Amino acid sequence: MAELNVFKTVTHSVQDSSQTVYTAPSNYTGIVLSTQVTNVSDSTHTLTFTYQDSASGAATEILSQFSIPGRDALGATSGKLVVTTGGILKMSSSGTDKLKAVVGILESLNG
């Protein structure tokens, strides 16, 4: 029997090309509880954070080229974010391995 609720912590080193951070699994809805992004370098870098409702869906920007100063952090979501089954969160940065993300997610069984 599938678990009703599953808590997950996803970590991601943001690259300079768009990469998947999280995909809501089959039969579950992902509820993003928090998204913390830290700039681990001394220079300012930008973050682009997007949502797609499917692999072939158009990307919707949550943040677009948002500047994060060196040695600073950003709460990239200011409330809950619902990611329906098959929904995808992606991130990219102006520098490779300069931004680190931690995403707290509650996966809830559908129906």
Side-chain angles (χ1 to χ4, degrees), residues 1-6 26-28 107-110:
M1 184 171 171
E3 292 184 65
L4 179 60
N5 292 310
V6 179
S26 188
N27 298 320
Y28 281 87
E107 291 180 342
S108 184
L109 186 64
N110 295 336

Side-chain angles (χ1 to χ4, degrees), residues 17-34:
S17 62
S18 184
Q19 294 187 344
T20 298
V21 175
Y22 173 75
T23 302
S26 188
N27 298 320
Y28 281 87
T29 296
I31 302 162
V32 177
L33 304 174
S34 66

Side-chain angles (χ1 to χ4, degrees), residues 58-75:
T60 300
E61 291 81 5
I62 298 167
L63 293 171
S64 181
Q65 297 182 359
F66 190 91
S67 292
I68 304 174
R71 306 290 172 204
D72 205 350
L74 164 73

Side-chain angles (χ1 to χ4, degrees), residues 43-82:
S43 303
T44 297
H45 289 280
T46 61
L47 171 70
T48 297
F49 182 27
T50 62
Y51 170 77
Q52 291 175 244
D53 62 5
S54 67
S56 61
T60 300
E61 291 81 5
I62 298 167
L63 293 171
S64 181
Q65 297 182 359
F66 190 91
S67 292
I68 304 174
R71 306 290 172 204
D72 205 350
L74 164 73
T77 49
S78 61
K80 311 298 184 280
L81 175 64
V82 176

